[in-house]
Each structure stands twice: as C-alpha cells, then as structure tokens.
Amino acid sequence: MGAPRLVCLAMPTGVDPLPALAAWLATASPSLVLTGTTAEAGEGSGMVPYWLAHRLGLRLVPAIAGLTMASGEAAMVQAVPGGRRRQLFCPLPLLATVGSRAPGPRLSAFARARRGVLYAAPARGEPDARQDWAARPARARPTRAMQGASGSASERLRAGRGDTGSGKRGGDETTLANIDPENAADRILGYLREEGLLGR
C-alpha cells in the first residue's frame, strides 16, 4: 500500500553495499526484508539477497508473488516456472525476493508514496572486491529444433538448417545393428552425402 518513510543509505560509488546493508538491518531488526532479484547496476548477479540472508541468519524465500502476515508467520504465494503458483508458510523473521511475476502496486500506493518522507543516512562502504569482471557482447543463442515436426529425420534436419530442397529418401530409415564399426561408419557417411549433409 506504499511506505510512509524510506531510508536511503548514501554510499560512495564503487563500494560493496552488502556490509552497510547488513549492519543497518541488524540494528533495525525488521521482521520482514523484501528485496528484488537483480540489481540495476554493477554485476547484477542476483546474489545480494542470499549473502544478506546468510549474514543476518534469516530464512530466504525466493520469487514471491503475494504475501500476508499474521501471528508471527508469513503466508506467501511463490511463482514457479510454467506460470504456476504455490503457497508457502514461514515463521518470521525472514527475507523474501520479489520477482517480475508479482502484481504491480495499487493506485493508492502512488498517492501514499508522494506523501512519504525520504531520509538519506550516510553509510560507510567497503571496497568492492569483485571488480575484475569483464564485459563483452552477448553470444547469439543457437536456434532450437522444431518439436513435433513431421517427416523423416533427414527432412526435419534439413528444415532446421533452412534447406528446402527435397531429398531422394522419403521415410525409409535403416537400423545399423550387429555390423562392424567400419562398415557402419561407411554407411552413415554415404547416407549423409546422399542427403546433401556433407560434401561429396
């Protein structure tokens, strides 16, 4: 519903925020800590919530999409792969990460946020020991073969390669069993050349 007060830990650029976060939260001793899944700057590895929970000795529940608290316990809805949801119950205190599958804030939260107060608290940062990361362009992912395509294995292979040419073989497939390895290799190479998958 929107927080009435927000504390921003002011740290120099290029420092590790984990020690300052852990020290401030250890002093505040909250019953619930909510974090995102990855940072918007730096390495963006997504490990800060796990390191923070380890330092504070808290339980961690990842990727929650809903949460209610009552009687010292949190009832959470966790988003799992495939668009599914499952309900979890965990005693407080705990740390939970909120993923992209969580619902957006209600409209009333924006009005409350505009009335909120922002406090800047100076924090002493420590040098980031993980600054030897190298940035490079992302590699193109390989194209996945079509699942459930009709036709023989050679036709599906040609379709995956973008080859629209028609081969001589239709659906005849030969099982190479109980023959010596050299003969089997020759027959495989001959088949690949006949289908145009190797050089002549």
Side-chain angles (χ1 to χ4, degrees):
M1 294 299 294
R5 186 171 68 100
L6 184 66
V7 178
C8 176
L9 299 182
M11 286 176 282
T13 304
V15 301
D16 186 0
L18 184 66
L21 284 171
W24 192 89
L25 290 171
T27 303
S29 187
S31 58
L32 175 66
V33 179
L34 296 177
T35 74
T37 54
T38 56
E40 295 181 354
E43 293 86 9
S45 65
M47 287 300 299
V48 170
Y50 296 89
W51 288 327
L52 194 58
H54 178 71
R55 285 207 179 194
L56 297 174
L58 297 177
R59 303 173 184 88
L60 187 144
V61 181
I64 66 167
L67 181 142
T68 57
M69 294 191 302
S71 303
E73 184 180 59
M76 292 162 285
V77 177
Q78 186 183 47
V80 293
R84 295 173 295 154
R85 301 287 188 270
R86 66 179 172 188
Q87 192 167 24
L88 302 175
F89 298 92
C90 184
L92 300 172
L94 68 90
L95 185 148
T97 67
V98 182
S100 58
R101 296 185 180 94
R106 300 178 184 176
L107 293 177
S108 57
F110 294 98
R112 189 171 183 182
R114 290 176 66 89
R115 295 192 301 267
V117 181
L118 176 64
Y119 295 93
R124 182 176 300 176
E126 296 183 7
D128 190 355
R130 295 172 297 276
Q131 290 187 349
D132 55 347
W133 298 75
R136 63 182 181 187
R139 292 179 296 178
R141 295 186 178 184
T143 304
R144 297 185 63 179
M146 295 179 60
Q147 300 293 328
S150 60
S152 65
S154 60
E155 291 172 346
R156 295 196 299 271
L157 184 56
R158 282 197 301 270
R161 294 170 59 237
D163 185 4
T164 58
S166 59
K168 294 181 180 180
R169 297 197 179 201
D172 56 327
E173 297 180 0
T174 304
T175 302
L176 303 179
N178 300 324
I179 62 175
D180 62 282
E182 291 184 4
N183 190 14
D186 290 339
R187 294 177 66 177
I188 291 172
L189 286 173
Y191 170 77
L192 294 175
R193 289 192 181 98
E194 183 180 346
E195 295 295 331
L197 302 175
L198 288 178
R200 297 282 178 180

